[in-house]
Amino acid sequence: MTQPNPNDTKLEQQKSESEVSSLKNQTENNYENDTEAAADRIADNLEEAKKDK
């Protein structure tokens, strides 16, 4: 069994690309969830405003 070459950065680059992709997906999901939550709050506020009139 051979030891991996410590100077071989290809594996590290692949890992980094995978991590970046994962973080990007998390960020997009968080943004989408935050946007939906904000839209829900706006709709709720609009309903409350209509009731108050």
Side-chain angles (χ1 to χ4, degrees):
M1 186 173 215
T2 61
Q3 293 290 336
N5 182 350
N7 297 322
D8 184 6
T9 59
K10 187 174 183 180
L11 179 62
E12 290 181 22
Q13 288 174 336
Q14 289 174 345
K15 182 179 178 187
S16 295
E17 290 171 8
S18 174
E19 289 172 345
V20 168
S21 177
S22 175
L23 289 172
K24 183 177 178 183
N25 287 337
Q26 287 177 348
T27 302
E28 289 173 354
N29 288 340
N30 288 344
Y31 176 77
E32 185 175 309
N33 291 339
D34 290 346
T35 302
E36 289 177 8
D40 289 342
R41 288 192 299 273
I42 291 169
D44 290 344
N45 289 342
L46 183 58
E47 288 297 319
E48 289 297 318
K50 286 180 180 180
K51 288 179 186 177
D52 292 343
K53 284 188 175 185

